[in-house]
């Protein structure tokens, strides 16, 4: 069985629909324009960290989960745009370990 992986926009739409809330209601509670929330749900825009914080608080979910979703979307889109292989993520993972080690020194 294939694991279903969605975008942050799809996740937000799912959360909103699960609660039977309109775009206007959610946008009002998190302090953004309705059209911006619609663009985020359609993956035409990425939420800011501040918007993610408000979304996480509103839906009572972990902020780090949303940040991971947003970053993974950005990585995936960038790899596709640059036409590089998935091995780019392995290289990035190796660099993260090096950067962390250097930061501790």
């Amino acid at each position: 069985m294939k694991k279903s992986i969605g975008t942050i926009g799809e996740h937000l739409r799912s959360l909103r629909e699960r609660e039977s809330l309109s775009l206007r209601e959610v946008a009002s509670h998190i302090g953004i324009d309705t059209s911006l929330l619609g663009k985020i749900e359609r993956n035409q825009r990425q939420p800011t960290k501040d918007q993610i914080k408000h979304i996480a608080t509103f839906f009572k979910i972990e902020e780090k989960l949303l940040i991971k979703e947003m970053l993974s979307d950005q990585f995936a889109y960038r790899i596709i745009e640059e036409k590089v292989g998935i091995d780019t993520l392995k290289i990035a993972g190796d660099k993260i370990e090096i950067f962390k080690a250097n930061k501790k020194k």
Side-chain angles (χ1 to χ4, degrees):
M1 178 180 246
K2 189 174 181 180
K3 184 177 178 184
S4 175
I5 299 175
T7 63
I8 189 168
E10 292 166 341
H11 186 190
L12 296 180
R13 176 177 284 149
S14 171
L15 290 169
R16 180 179 61 76
E17 289 176 346
R18 186 181 68 208
E19 300 292 328
S20 300
L21 298 168
S22 69
L23 277 170
R24 180 171 289 147
E25 289 172 301
V26 175
S28 174
H29 283 290
I30 62 174
I32 64 174
D33 185 75
T34 303
S35 64
L36 176 57
L37 180 57
K39 287 178 181 178
I40 292 170
E41 285 189 0
R42 291 188 305 277
N43 300 306
Q44 295 171 336
R45 293 277 302 269
Q46 290 279 306
T48 64
K49 280 191 172 187
D50 191 51
Q51 291 163 348
I52 285 176
K53 181 179 181 176
H54 292 294
I55 292 164
T57 301
F58 179 73
F59 284 112
K60 297 175 179 70
I61 58 175
E62 192 176 336
E63 185 178 343
K64 280 193 177 207
L65 170 69
L66 294 178
I67 290 171
K68 286 178 186 180
E69 287 183 340
M70 178 188 68
L71 289 173
S72 66
D73 286 356
Q74 291 173 353
F75 299 155
Y77 289 133
R78 187 70 191 263
I79 286 170
I80 291 167
E81 286 172 8
E82 297 297 332
K83 297 179 180 155
V84 294
I86 196 77
D87 61 319
T88 305
L89 291 177
K90 169 69 174 108
I91 296 166
D94 293 344
K95 286 182 179 183
I96 289 169
E97 294 306 316
I98 293 167
F99 295 161
K100 284 164 105 177
N102 288 338
K103 194 172 186 178
K104 289 180 183 176
K105 292 180 182 179

